[in-house]
Amino acid sequence: MERRNFIKNTLSTSLGASILPVGAFAYSKTSENKSKEYPYKLKYAPHIGMFKNLAGDDVLDQLNFMADQGFTAFEDNGMPHRSIKQQTEMAKVMEKRGMTMGVFVAHTIYWSEPNLTSGNLEKREEFLKEIKSAVEVAKRVNAKWVTVVPGFVDLRQEHGYQTAHVVESLKQAAAILEPHGIIMVLEPLNFRDHPGLFLSKSAQAYEICKAVGSPSCKILFDVYHQQITEGNLIPNIEASWDEIAYFQMGDNPGRKEPTTGEINYKNIFKYIHSKGFDGVLGMEHGNSIPGKEGELALIKAYQEVDQF
């Protein structure tokens, strides 16, 4: 029996054949299988830890496992906090396996006090300094997109003044990013999980991007957050399409993989694909089932919603 078939049969026996997705197999360092096992239509991007039970704890093994399953992108919010050595090693694996690097968080997010909304010059300078550092990380890992969250509302100022402060900070950040072809993507977050944050709706993000007026300032449309905040998903994606550069997802309720909640991801992905989107869709969610069984179920879910 061929080695790959043996592994498939073993997994089928131990975890249940019904849950085994097409092309899935256990990764090992000695595996010579470098083919794209499943031809996804879009660039879905897992993150470190999503397949740790099947691939092991080593981040490079996990990257290789993702590629072996057919995933052609990867994202890592915490990439700036990894050592330069590890960043470089991860970049080499992604380049070798043909994976596109997705977003990482470019700066300190203020979850409970105003920063960019306040107009405070010290907070602005702190933000711009971190944006400059993010450029170096992005170059190291071949990243085109970095996540920006403007932070908490300033209850002492009218909304219009806060917007003006945010726009000015983002204009200065865009001037840093533009020469390097890096795009900061603004992520609206929902009021339930992140109460009190300034940026919450797609139209608001669209307005800010238009005001900044830079190719380095676009929208990160997180389908999970926007389902909670405003719903009306495909019409809102359509309305803000020319300012969207990146997507993330998670089903609602629960923020787990597609098919576990109320969102019709098959139709959403069909629409995004029909628009010719060639960017990354970050899998920023948890696994609904623990262990290896849950990781295989997640792969199967993405194969299912990718059928359109």
Side-chain angles (χ1 to χ4, degrees):
M1 181 181 295
E2 292 183 3
R3 180 177 179 277
R4 200 175 83 185
N5 290 335
F6 172 78
I7 294 172
K8 283 185 177 180
N9 290 341
T10 302
L11 284 173
S12 297
T13 301
S14 61
L15 300 177
S18 63
I19 203 172
L20 189 66
V22 176
F25 67 97
Y27 173 77
S28 75
K29 291 181 179 180
T30 60
S31 174
E32 296 180 356
N33 189 326
K34 302 301 181 184
S35 64
K36 293 293 185 286
E37 287 294 309
Y38 188 84
Y40 290 106
K41 296 182 179 73
L42 294 167
K43 294 179 182 177
Y44 308 114
H47 54 79
I48 294 300
M50 186 163 269
F51 301 116
K52 64 182 180 180
N53 291 286
L54 289 170
D57 291 328
D58 184 86
V59 296
L60 303 184
D61 287 348
Q62 291 186 41
L63 279 173
N64 275 305
F65 178 85
M66 295 170 194
D68 287 342
Q69 307 315 307
F71 293 109
T72 56
F74 164 75
E75 68 175 23
D76 185 15
N77 284 340
M79 182 65 83
H81 305 293
R82 299 187 184 278
S83 68
I84 292 176
K85 179 177 181 293
Q86 190 171 63
Q87 290 172 4
T88 302
E89 290 173 342
M90 293 172 74
K92 288 179 179 178
V93 171
M94 285 186 281
E95 182 178 9
K96 182 178 180 181
R97 302 306 305 272
M99 300 180 77
T100 300
M101 177 64 201
V103 292
F104 60 84
V105 176
H107 66 106
T108 301
I109 298 175
Y110 281 71
W111 299 106
S112 59
E113 64 176 293
N115 61 323
L116 299 188
T117 56
S118 68
N120 182 294
L121 295 183
E122 290 185 3
K123 291 288 193 296
R124 179 178 292 165
E125 287 304 313
E126 175 189 84
F127 169 69
L128 295 175
K129 182 179 179 180
E130 291 180 323
I131 291 295
K132 290 176 182 177
S133 296
V135 169
E136 299 308 310
V137 177
K139 288 180 178 178
R140 204 172 291 128
V141 298
N142 300 312
K144 182 179 179 181
W145 307 273
V146 297
T147 303
V148 168
V149 176
F152 208 70
V153 297
D154 189 338
L155 296 175
R156 293 180 173 85
Q157 295 191 53
E158 289 284 352
H159 189 271
Y161 296 127
Q162 295 180 67
T163 299
H165 295 322
V166 169
V167 168
E168 179 56 32
S169 293
L170 297 179
K171 282 184 175 180
Q172 294 186 33
I176 295 169
L177 297 169
E178 278 187 29
H180 306 283
I182 299 170
I183 303 169
M184 59 180 164
V185 285
L186 311 182
E187 183 178 12
L189 301 174
N190 78 75
F191 57 85
R192 185 184 68 192
D193 297 342
H194 304 289
L197 291 190
F198 174 75
L199 186 59
S200 61
K201 293 188 176 182
S202 52
Q204 182 190 12
Y206 184 84
E207 176 185 27
I208 290 172
C209 287
K210 289 298 185 186
V212 174
S214 167
S216 285
C217 183
K218 296 294 180 180
I219 298 171
L220 189 172
F221 194 105
D222 189 310
V223 178
Y224 165 77
H225 286 300
Q226 295 320 112
Q227 171 68 0
I228 296 169
T229 301
E230 58 192 9
N232 201 34
L233 292 169
I234 291 177
N236 278 321
I237 292 171
E238 181 177 7
S240 52
W241 181 261
D242 62 330
E243 295 296 336
I244 295 175
Y246 200 98
F247 287 93
Q248 285 181 331
M249 52 270 186
D251 218 334
N252 180 62
R255 201 173 189 176
K256 306 301 182 184
E257 70 269 16
T259 73
T260 58
E262 66 184 355
I263 302 175
N264 188 339
Y265 268 105
K266 182 178 288 188
N267 275 359
I268 291 172
F269 291 153
K270 180 181 179 180
Y271 176 79
I272 292 171
H273 184 265
S274 74
K275 298 285 283 185
F277 184 72
D278 191 42
V280 172
L281 300 93
M283 298 159 60
E284 196 181 46
H285 55 74
N287 299 4
S288 62
I289 303 170
K292 294 180 179 179
E293 182 180 1
E295 292 170 10
L296 289 171
L298 184 150
I299 295 170
K300 185 177 181 181
Y302 272 93
Q303 292 179 1
E304 178 181 333
V305 295
D306 192 64
Q307 293 297 309
F308 47 79

